[in-house]
Amino acid sequence: MAVNTSADSPLPVGEVSRLIGGWIDRLGAVWVEGQITQLSRRPGAGVVFLTLRDPSYDVSVSVTCYRQVFDTVSDVVGEGARVVVFAKPEWYAPRGQLSLRAAEIRPVGVGELLARLEQLKRTLAREGLFAPERKKPLPFLPRLVGLVCGRASAAERDVLENARHRWPAVRFEVRNVAVQGVHAVPQVVQAVKELDALDDVDVIIVARGGGSVEDLLPFSDEQLVRAVAACRTPVVSAIGHEPDQPLLDHVADLRASTPTDAAKKVVPDVGEEYERVRQLRDRARRCVRALVEREERGLAHALARPSLEDPHRMIDARAEEVAALLDRGRRSLRHQLDRADSELTHTHARVVALSPAATLKRGYAVLQRSDGQAVRAPGEVAPGEALRARVSEGDFTVRVDA
C-alpha cells in the first residue's frame, strides 16, 4: 500500500528500506532463468555467490545459495551457462540491496534450448519477420561494407582477406564485439544499429566462427532478430558453419554458410568481372560486325539494281519521251494555229464583205435623222425635214421634198 509522506513528515531511510523489504517478502519464491556471469566459490565458505544476467535486456541480479545447493550442479554449471533458479527475493536493508536466495538450480539443456528457439522461431515467422518479400537485394558493388565480428577473430580475418582478394578496392567499417557470453547480444545489437545509421554503408555482415549451440545462442536472441529486421541496410548472416542455423539466418536478407562465403557473396571477384566484361565486349564487337556486314550486303544489293548501277539510264529514256512529246506538242500547236489563222482570214473576209462601209463603197448612202437614227421607211420623215446623208467618202445634209 502507498505510504503518506510529505516534505514536513518524511520517512527515515531505515523505514523506507524496511517497507521495501516487506513488499519484496510478499513476492514469494519464483523460478528465474538467466545466464551466469560471475561465480564466486570461496574455499571453506558455506555460501556461493553468483550473478544471473538477462542478455536480452542487459539486466543482472545477485544470487546466493548454500554450498550444498550449488554442489549438485557444479560439474555442469559454470560462468556463461544458462540456468533456471528457484529462489526467493531478499532485501538486505542495511545496504538497500536486492538479491535472490536460491533453493534449487537447474541447468538449461540443449534440447530445452532448441525447443524454446523453435517456439520463438514460429512466433517471429507468424509476425512476418522471415517473409521472403521483406528481403532486400544486395548491391552489386558496395561502396562500404559494415562488419560485425569478434576482435582478432578468424571470422574477421576470413571476411577481410577473401573480400580484398576478390576486390582489392573494397572498404570496411569494422565493429569488434563480444560474439558469445552475456555481453554479446547488447554489443551486437548496438554495432548493427550504428552501421545501419551510416549512409555510406551499403551492406552489413554479421560474422562468427563455429561453436556449440550455447555459443551461438546470442544470434538467436529475439532482441537481435528484431533489430536486424528493422534495418534499412541489407544484412548478411555468416554465423558458424553450414549446419548451424540461428534465427539470425532467417531474418537476414542473405544467409552465408561461413564468413568466407559471406565475402564471396557480398563482393564480386575482379577477375570474374574482368572476364565478363571481356566476353561482353567481344559479344558487342561481334554484334556490331554482323550488323555492319549485313548493312554492307544490303548496300551492295541495292547498288546492283539497274536504277543505281546506271542512274542516267532512266533519265535518258525519259528525256527521249519528253522530246517526242514536246515535238508532238509543237506540231499540234502549229496545226491549231494554222487552222485558226485560216478561219480568222475567212471570217475577216466575210466581215469586210458584210460591213456597211463596203455597201457604201458600192454607191449606197445612209440617211440619219437629227437624233442619229437611220431612216428605214418614208413614213419616218416629214416634208421639209433636214436629214444627214452618209456616203463612202463622207456625209452631207439633205432636205425632204413633199
Side-chain angles (χ1 to χ4, degrees), residues 10 53 68 73 85 87 142-143 154 222 238 242-243 267 285 297 309-310 319 322 326 332 358 360 370 377 386 389 396:
R53 184 181 181 87
Q68 56 268 29
V73 293
V85 177
R143 296 170 298 177
E222 182 178 359
E242 180 64 33
V267 180
R285 185 181 291 112
R297 289 193 299 269
E309 187 177 10
D310 186 6
V322 170
L326 180 60
S332 177
L360 294 178
S370 59
F396 53 90

Side-chain angles (χ1 to χ4, degrees), residues 281-352:
R281 185 174 56 193
D282 293 342
R283 180 182 176 185
R285 185 181 291 112
R286 290 194 301 270
C287 291
V288 172
R289 184 182 296 113
L291 177 62
V292 172
E293 291 176 352
R294 185 180 63 196
E295 295 302 323
E296 287 180 346
R297 289 193 299 269
L299 182 60
H301 178 71
L303 292 176
R305 298 179 62 181
S307 58
L308 292 179
E309 187 177 10
D310 186 6
H312 296 285
R313 177 185 301 175
M314 183 179 296
I315 298 177
D316 295 341
R318 297 303 180 186
E320 294 177 358
E321 293 180 6
V322 170
L325 292 174
L326 180 60
D327 184 62
R328 179 181 176 183
R330 287 175 178 174
R331 290 194 306 270
S332 177
L333 179 60
R334 187 178 300 112
H335 175 72
Q336 294 292 336
L337 291 175
D338 293 342
R339 187 174 62 181
D341 181 67
S342 177
E343 291 179 354
L344 182 60
T345 302
H346 294 160
T347 302
H348 180 266
R350 287 197 301 270
V351 170
V352 171

